[in-house]
Amino acid sequence: MHLPFAAPNVMAGNLHSVYREDRVLTGGLWDHLATLPSLVPPGPIAMLGLAAGTVPQIMASHYPCGHCTRGGRNVVHGWELDPAVVEAGRLYLGMHELEQRGELVVHIGDALAPTACVPGGFSGIIVDLFAGGRLLPQLTKASPGALYVGEHRKTWEDLRSRLAPGNGARLIANLGQAPPTIPGVRWQEEAYTTLRAYEALEAAFDGEVSLLTVQSNTLALTGPLPNPEEWPGPLPEGLQHLAADGLWARDVYPLQKVVVNLSLW
């Protein structure tokens, strides 16, 4: 019997990686983040918030030659701030094998630093940046009383500048807790944080942001709204079941339709 190895971030206090010896899929949002190669041109992909390498493991198992750049797959450049997490990924979660095969390049450092880039830009960027179970504040819209209300939009604009020029490059992000869909249910503070991040991201990408709710999380995808031929069209056979969770959609975030309690901002 093979049990999943779940890697918590001791410093942050949240679960960030899952590894099973007998199967690569997790049944969680990591599987959806790993579908990005189906929506972008061939080229290097950034994983901002690498943790112990769950998403690159899924990608390496499902994207052979169809998205070739080196070694038969998209090369993932992953940034992780905590070296202890990287070491755990290498020792226990199979990340070292990905590095040996040339499918993953690990960078220990700040994923939001200007140095987190590659020449020519990325074909896709995956953003999964949390600390203490909360989305990094640099990714959320500044509060109304902030001195510089465009600060967090600028963070997303900086990330946009790291995408390869031309058509097709996209960014996918885990924005955290999705709001409840039942009217009258009390909104938790984390859901308002997700709204602020979505608004900042949408402003930085000129309104071209689609949303997908996966379990209790909101995922955001930049670029044109995928049509049915694009989603789930090109998904590998092993990932096509993810389309059952729904299609990418525009302007569906429920918090846009309610009066926001500004005391939570």
Side-chain angles (χ1 to χ4, degrees):
M1 178 178 180
H2 297 281
L3 297 177
F5 184 99
N9 187 322
V10 176
M11 295 175 61
N14 58 286
L15 180 69
H16 59 63
S17 301
V18 174
Y19 177 76
R20 295 176 174 86
E21 291 184 353
D22 58 333
R23 61 187 175 95
V24 70
L25 294 180
T26 68
L29 64 92
W30 298 281
D31 301 348
H32 285 268
L33 294 176
T35 64
L36 185 60
S38 291
L39 294 164
V40 298
I45 288 180
M47 180 75 214
L48 306 184
L50 172 65
T54 297
V55 173
Q57 287 280 7
I58 300 168
M59 289 174 56
S61 297
H62 289 88
Y63 290 97
C65 293
H67 292 267
C68 294
T69 55
R70 190 180 87 193
R73 296 178 175 89
N74 287 85
V75 178
V76 177
H77 288 259
W79 273 266
E80 171 57 44
L81 190 61
D82 189 344
V85 171
V86 171
E87 185 63 19
R90 287 169 171 163
L91 289 174
Y92 305 113
L93 279 77
M95 201 163 71
H96 181 60
E97 288 76 8
L98 293 181
E99 293 180 275
Q100 285 187 318
R101 296 198 299 265
E103 295 167 332
L104 173 65
V105 179
V106 176
H107 306 265
I108 298 176
D110 184 359
L112 297 179
T115 53
C117 61
V118 295
F122 296 106
S123 67
I125 296 176
I126 303 170
V127 180
D128 191 21
L129 293 171
F130 289 76
R134 293 173 178 250
L135 192 68
L136 290 189
Q138 297 96 311
L139 300 174
T140 62
K141 185 177 180 181
S143 65
L147 294 177
Y148 177 35
V149 296
E151 177 184 357
H152 306 308
R153 168 180 172 171
K154 183 179 183 301
T155 301
W156 291 110
E157 289 173 340
D158 288 342
L159 295 180
R160 181 177 185 174
S161 71
R162 303 178 199 181
L163 290 171
N167 296 325
R170 293 178 184 259
L171 178 150
I172 188 172
N174 173 18
L175 298 185
Q177 182 177 316
T181 57
I182 302 175
V185 174
R186 179 180 175 82
W187 305 100
Q188 296 186 15
E189 185 175 354
E190 288 78 5
Y192 289 96
T193 299
T194 301
L195 172 62
R196 297 195 295 271
Y198 164 60
E199 289 179 335
L201 175 61
E202 190 178 45
F205 281 84
D206 304 320
E208 283 207 323
V209 177
S210 306
L211 299 174
L212 179 67
T213 299
V214 178
Q215 298 169 343
S216 60
N217 285 71
T218 294
L219 302 185
L221 176 72
T222 67
L225 176 67
N227 59 47
E229 288 71 34
E230 294 172 309
W231 180 271
L235 289 179
E237 182 177 355
L239 297 177
Q240 287 189 357
H241 67 281
L242 299 178
D245 290 333
L247 302 178
W248 291 98
R250 290 279 169 85
D251 300 324
V252 293
Y253 198 81
L255 284 175
Q256 292 179 299
K257 303 174 183 178
V258 302
V259 176
V260 177
N261 182 354
L262 294 180
S263 67
L264 294 177
W265 288 51

